[in-house]
C-alpha cells in the first residue's frame, strides 16, 4: 500500500496552483446525464473520485473523452442503463448523485446505497423524501434505492436538515419536472451554487441558488455546452494552513477568497497576514508561530467541517489552547488519535476537542482514516521533528491532486513510496 513520507522542519515558501473543486465536479458530472447533447467540463481535478465517477457514467452508457487539459466531454445521448450497482458506487458516497438525474430523465433509477469515508452517519433519507415530494415512487430493498415516475411533477419540499448532496440530487431532478418546485432549508455551499450555474448554462430555470430557498421552473429539455468548475476552497485552505504551521508564505493562485471567508478569518486570528485579489490568496506568517484558534463547524457560510482536521493539526503546534467543536459528523475526530502519536496534547470530550499547542511534534508512523484527516496528518508531518510516514493515503488521492508534488514545490521534503 502506498505511503507518503515527510521529513519535517522546512518553512514553506512559494506559489501553488489550486485545482478544481472535488465537491463541485462530482455533481456536475452527474448532471450531464440530464442533457440531450454533449457537454464539456473544464478545470477538472485529477482525483480518484473523478475517475470513479467517469467509470460510473461510462457504465451507464455515456460516451466520455478526456483531453490533455483534463477537460471531460460527456455525450449522454447513448445512456442505456439506469442501474448503478454496488461494485461501482461502494467507494464513493457522491455516486448517489446519479439518482435524481436518471429518474428525472428516464423515469426510473436504481442506485446502490453508497460508501465513502467512515466519518459518520450520512443517510440518504433526505434525497428520497425530496424525490417523493416530486411524485416519485421510491423503495429501498436489498441495499438498492429504487425509484420510478412517469414524469416528475413540481412540488414543495423542506429539508429536515441541511444536506449538500440531498439538495443537489433533488435540485437536478426538479430541472426536468413538470411545473414549479420550491426547495427550502437548502444547502448554501459554493459547490451547490456551481452546480446550479452549470444547470442554468444547460437551460435550467433556477432562482435562489446560494440561499436557503430555491425555486425551479421545470423545462422539457436541457442542452449541452461548456462549463468550468470553480476552485477547490478546501484544497486552498489546506495549503494556506501548511504555510501558517511552518511560519512561511504561500501564494495560492487560481482560487477565490470570497468562498473562504470563515477560514480566512480564523487564519487571521492565528496571526497570519492575508492579501487576496480576484483569483489569488497570499498568506504570510513572517516566521511567527501560529496562535491557537477555537471554532465550531456548521453548514456554509459558517466554518466548514472539511477544514476542521487541518485546523486541529495547526492547533497542535500553536501558541495557547484551541477548542474545536464538530457539529456535522459524529466520527470526525479519528485523526486526533494519530496526531497524539506525534506528541500532540489533545483531550476529547464528546464532540469537542481541546488542543494545547506544543512547541515540537515528533515524527512517527501514522495512518489516515478519511480524506480530510489524511491531509491533517500530512500537515502535522511538515512540522514534526524527523520522519513521519502516513499510511493508507488512498484516502488523500480521493480529494487532493498531486499533494506531494505541490507541497514539494513549496519546499517540503515529502515523497511517495509505492505500495
Amino acid at each position: 500500500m502506498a505511503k507518503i513520507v515527510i521529513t519535517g522542519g522546512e518553512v514553506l515558501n512559494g506559489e501553488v496552483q489550486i485545482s478544481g473543486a472535488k465537491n463541485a465536479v462530482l455533481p456536475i458530472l452527474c448532471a450531464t446525464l440530464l442533457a440531450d447533447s454533449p457537454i464539456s467540463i473544464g478545470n477538472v481535478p485529477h482525483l480518484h473520485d473523478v475517475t470513479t465517477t467517469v467509470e460510473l457514467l461510462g457504465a451507464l452508457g455515456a460516451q466520455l473523452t478526456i483531453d490533455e487539459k483534463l477537460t471531460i466531454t460527456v455525450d449522454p445521448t447513448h445512456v442505456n442503463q439506469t442501474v448503478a450497482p454496488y461494485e461501482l458506487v461502494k467507494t464513493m458516497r457522491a455516486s448517489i448523485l446519479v439518482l435524481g438525474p436518471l429518474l428525472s430523465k428516464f423515469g426510473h433509477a436504481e442506485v446502490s446505497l453508497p460508501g465513502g469515508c467512515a466519518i459518520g452517519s450520512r443517510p440518504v433519507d433526505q434525497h428520497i423524501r425530496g424525490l417523493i415530494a416530486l411524485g416519485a415512487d421510491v423503495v429501498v430493498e436489498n441495499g438498492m434505492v429504487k425509484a420510478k415516475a412517469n414524469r416528475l411533477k413540481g412540488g414543495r419540499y423542506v429539508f429536515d436538515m441541511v444536506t449538500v448532496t440531498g439538495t443537489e440530487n433533488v435540485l437536478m431532478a426538479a430541472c426536468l419536472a413538470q411545473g414549479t418546485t420550491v426547495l427550502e432549508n437548502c444547502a448554501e455551499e459554493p459547490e451547490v451554487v456551481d452546480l446550479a450555474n452549470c444547470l442554468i448554462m444547460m437551460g435550467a430555470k433556477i432562482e435562489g441558488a446560494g440561499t436557503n430557498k430555491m425555486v425551479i421552473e421545470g423545462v422539457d429539455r436541457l442542452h449541452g455546452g461548456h462549463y468550468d468548475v470553480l476552485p477547490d476552497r478546501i484544497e486552498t485552505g489546506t495549503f494556506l494552513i501548511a504555510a501558517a504551521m511552518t511560519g512561511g508564505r504561500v501564494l495560492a493562485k487560481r482560487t477565490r477568497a470570497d468562498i473562504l471567508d470563515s477560514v480566512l478569518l480564523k487564519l487571521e486570528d492565528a496571526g497570519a497576514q492575508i492579501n487576496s485579489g480576484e483569483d489569488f490568496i497570499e498568506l504570510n506568517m513572517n516566521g511567527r508561530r501560529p496562535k491557537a484558534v477555537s471554532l465550531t463547524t456548521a453548514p456554509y457560510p459558517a466554518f466548514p467541517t472539511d477544514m476542521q482536521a487541518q485546523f486541529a493539526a495547526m492547533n497542535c503546534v500553536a501558541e495557547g489552547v484551541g477548542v474545536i467543536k464538530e457539529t456535522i459528523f459524529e466520527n470526525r475526530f479519528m485523526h486526533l488519535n494519530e496526531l497524539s502519536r506525534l506528541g500532540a496534547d489533545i483531550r476529547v470530550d464528546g464532540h469537542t476537542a481541546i488542543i494545547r499547542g506544543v512547541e515540537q511534534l515528533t515524527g512517527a508512523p501514522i495512518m489516515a482514516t478519511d480524506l480530510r484527516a489524511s491531509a491533517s496528518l500530512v500537515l502535522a508531518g511538515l512540522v514534526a521533528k524527523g520522519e513521519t510516514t502516513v499510511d493508507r493515503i488512498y484516502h488523500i488521492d480521493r480529494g487532493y491532486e498531486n499533494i506531494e508534488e505541490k507541497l514539494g514545490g513549496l519546499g517540503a521534503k515529502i515523497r511517495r513510496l509505492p505500495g
Side-chain angles (χ1 to χ4, degrees):
M1 197 174 288
K3 301 175 174 63
I4 284 179
V5 181
I6 308 129
T7 303
E10 302 300 318
V11 176
L12 298 196
N13 185 40
E15 299 180 357
V16 62
Q17 298 271 4
I18 299 302
S19 302
K22 164 190 176 286
N23 289 340
V25 72
L26 302 182
I28 285 172
L29 283 171
C30 294
T32 63
L33 292 168
L34 291 164
D36 62 7
S37 56
I39 180 168
S40 62
I41 309 299
N43 199 31
V44 176
H46 182 52
L47 302 173
H48 191 267
D49 276 9
V50 172
T51 302
T52 301
T53 305
V54 166
E55 290 174 354
L56 174 56
L57 294 177
L60 295 173
Q63 294 185 349
L64 299 100
T65 57
I66 305 174
D67 69 14
E68 67 279 357
K69 293 182 180 178
L70 274 184
T71 296
I72 297 179
T73 300
V74 184
D75 183 352
T77 59
H78 301 277
V79 171
N80 55 11
Q81 286 286 332
T82 57
V83 178
Y86 177 69
E87 292 70 32
L88 283 171
V89 306
K90 62 184 177 182
T91 62
M92 187 182 68
R93 185 175 184 272
S95 304
I96 194 69
L97 288 169
V98 298
L99 178 64
L102 288 174
L103 173 64
S104 193
K105 179 82 175 290
F106 301 100
H108 48 87
E110 293 185 28
V111 181
S112 174
L113 291 170
C117 286
I119 58 174
S121 174
R122 300 200 278 188
V124 297
D125 60 315
Q126 295 299 298
H127 306 236
I128 293 170
R129 290 176 190 170
L131 295 175
I132 290 172
L134 301 185
D137 293 320
V138 187
V139 296
V140 180
E141 58 185 22
N142 303 321
M144 300 286 288
V145 181
K146 301 180 180 181
K148 60 182 179 179
N150 289 331
R151 183 179 179 185
L152 294 175
K153 302 238 177 348
R156 179 174 177 268
Y157 184 67
V158 181
F159 291 97
D160 290 347
M161 54 184 285
V162 176
T163 160
V164 172
T165 52
T167 299
E168 292 168 339
N169 229 342
V170 183
L171 167 64
M172 288 188 283
C175 288
L176 292 179
Q178 186 175 17
T180 302
T181 297
V182 178
L183 301 178
E184 299 191 57
N185 198 26
C186 298
E188 301 175 27
E189 270 72 1
E191 295 79 13
V192 176
V193 177
D194 212 37
L195 170 64
N197 287 338
C198 179
L199 291 165
I200 291 168
M201 180 278 296
M202 296 162 64
K205 295 180 179 177
I206 301 167
E207 294 181 359
T211 73
N212 63 7
K213 179 179 178 180
M214 280 194 277
V215 179
I216 305 100
E217 188 70 40
V219 296
D220 291 331
R221 58 177 289 267
L222 293 176
H223 54 73
H226 178 82
Y227 191 80
D228 288 319
V229 176
L230 91 167
D232 196 313
R233 62 193 171 106
I234 306 303
E235 186 196 26
T236 303
T238 300
F239 281 106
L240 296 179
I241 286 182
M245 289 176 68
T246 64
R249 182 199 72 87
V250 164
L251 176 66
K253 301 177 77 172
R254 288 200 335 214
T255 189
R256 283 169 47 187
D258 64 311
I259 56 176
L260 267 171
D261 286 341
S262 62
V263 170
L264 296 180
L265 286 171
K266 288 296 178 184
L267 286 169
E268 287 180 335
D269 289 347
Q273 176 186 334
I274 291 177
N275 298 308
S276 62
E278 187 176 336
D279 63 351
F280 73 88
I281 306 171
E282 180 187 43
L283 181 144
N284 194 342
M285 286 302 287
N286 298 300
R288 295 190 303 269
R289 180 183 177 190
K291 299 184 184 119
V293 295
S294 295
L295 57 91
T296 300
T297 64
Y300 189 87
F303 191 90
T305 182
D306 279 355
M307 287 300 306
Q308 176 258 106
Q310 297 90 316
F311 270 82
M314 184 182 75
N315 278 349
C316 289
V317 294
E319 187 181 322
V321 178
V323 178
I324 293 178
K325 296 181 181 179
E326 174 58 60
T327 71
I328 308 295
F329 296 123
E330 68 269 22
N331 290 344
R332 212 162 201 180
F333 277 162
M334 292 188 288
H335 52 283
L336 298 181
N337 287 334
E338 300 301 302
L339 291 171
S340 296
R341 286 176 50 78
L342 302 178
D345 183 352
I346 303 171
R347 183 166 62 86
V348 178
D349 182 7
H351 299 303
T352 302
I354 301 97
I355 305 173
R356 184 180 301 276
V358 298
E359 293 205 11
Q360 183 70 67
L361 297 176
T362 305
I366 49 181
M367 185 172 65
T369 50
D370 65 69
L371 168 54
R372 304 307 172 185
S374 59
S376 76
L377 302 183
V378 170
L379 292 176
L382 295 174
V383 295
K385 184 178 181 180
E387 196 167 86
T388 299
T389 302
V390 183
D391 206 345
R392 289 193 181 173
I393 59 165
Y394 56 84
H395 287 294
I396 211 165
D397 294 333
R398 291 186 48 231
Y400 289 91
E401 182 175 38
N402 303 325
I403 191 169
E404 69 274 16
E405 291 178 24
K406 290 186 176 183
L407 286 171
L410 298 172
K413 289 185 177 176
I414 180 171
R415 67 188 192 277
R416 179 180 292 242
L417 298 181

